[in-house]
Amino acid sequence: MSSIALRIRLLARRRVLVTHPRSYVTTPDTSPKPPLAPGQQPQVETFSSPSKPRLYYPRPPTKSDLPKIKKRWPLLLAFATVGVAGWAVFLLFATNQERLASSIVKQIIQTVRENEELRDVLGDAIRPEPAWYLNGNPWISGSINLPAGHVDVSFRLKGHRGSGTLYFTSIRRAKGEAFTPLRFRVISDGGKVVNVLPKPSDAQ
């Protein structure tokens, strides 16, 4: 067979392989290679140029590498606590100032200043005892509810001889009637009780 016919057969076979690719899986050839003949050099594969390095992509950080976010709820809780406490203090101060400015408390103070028995116990210049946390104003405990007909207050008194605590309670039994004092007394720090209410004989 001539070389031209052999080339034609090879080209025809190559066309068949290209148009009809194999649909089965091939396995690499793992058969042992024959030993080299004496004086034969092993085949060495050479490259025309060095290989190009691939692009470098940094590894994404894991959960352990992520920065820790500081919790903000303790700070918000502290601000909320301070705000609520400040609002409560403001309400107490405003309520105390309202009681102090009421006509009932002013009339009580005027009455105790004119009581002779109380002057003998507390001395002259009887006045409400100031509180340091109220910037010199006295603290009035209790409640004053004139529309409901109920007054129940207590506060500290001070004179040049001593101090004591005043207790005053008055109610209105029916709408349109005057208030009836039920308790109006001063207990000094020494334990002596002074009733400021007029005695029944004095009222007659």
Side-chain angles (χ1 to χ4, degrees), residues 23-51:
S23 60
Y24 55 88
V25 179
T26 59
T27 58
D29 186 11
T30 57
S31 59
K33 296 181 180 180
L36 297 176
Q40 184 180 2
Q41 298 294 332
Q43 185 178 1
V44 180
E45 185 178 3
T46 59
F47 300 93
S48 60
S49 61
S51 62

Side-chain angles (χ1 to χ4, degrees), residues 3-195:
S3 60
I4 297 175
L6 181 61
R7 288 183 180 179
I8 293 174
R9 290 186 62 184
L10 290 176
L11 290 175
R13 186 177 180 182
R14 185 177 299 176
R15 288 180 179 177
V16 172
L17 292 176
V18 171
T19 56
H20 302 283
R22 291 178 297 179
S23 60
Y24 55 88
V25 179
T26 59
T27 58
D29 186 11
T30 57
S31 59
K33 296 181 180 180
L36 297 176
Q40 184 180 2
Q41 298 294 332
Q43 185 178 1
V44 180
E45 185 178 3
T46 59
F47 300 93
S48 60
S49 61
S51 62
K52 296 182 179 180
R54 293 179 298 176
L55 295 177
Y56 172 75
Y57 296 97
R59 181 176 61 88
T62 59
K63 291 184 178 180
S64 59
D65 299 334
L66 294 176
K68 294 182 179 180
I69 301 176
K70 295 182 179 180
K71 297 181 179 179
R72 297 183 178 180
W73 67 265
L75 185 61
L76 296 177
L77 181 61
F79 275 112
T81 304
V82 172
V84 172
W87 181 251
V89 170
F90 172 76
L91 287 180
L92 290 176
F93 179 80
T95 305
N96 184 72
Q97 291 298 112
E98 184 179 358
R99 296 195 200 106
L100 183 61
S102 66
S103 59
I104 299 295
V105 174
K106 292 181 180 180
Q107 187 176 357
I108 291 172
I109 296 173
Q110 183 65 28
T111 302
V112 297
R113 286 176 177 174
E114 297 174 355
N115 188 273
E116 296 292 338
E117 186 178 0
L118 192 57
R119 287 182 181 179
D120 296 337
V121 178
L122 300 182
D124 296 330
I126 299 176
R127 63 194 181 279
E129 185 176 4
W132 61 270
Y133 51 87
L134 293 175
N135 195 21
N137 292 325
W139 173 255
I140 310 295
S141 302
S143 63
I144 299 176
N145 194 342
L146 297 180
H150 178 76
V151 177
D152 187 10
V153 295
S154 64
F155 53 91
R156 295 280 297 171
L157 290 176
K158 183 178 181 181
H160 78 281
R161 291 182 182 176
S163 302
T165 305
L166 180 143
Y167 299 93
F168 179 83
T169 303
S170 180
I171 61 173
R172 184 175 58 191
R173 302 184 186 277
K175 188 175 181 181
E177 295 183 1
F179 278 85
T180 303
L182 300 179
R183 182 180 61 166
F184 194 179
R185 66 180 60 177
V186 176
I187 302 177
S188 65
D189 294 342
K192 187 173 181 179
V193 180
V194 178
N195 289 311

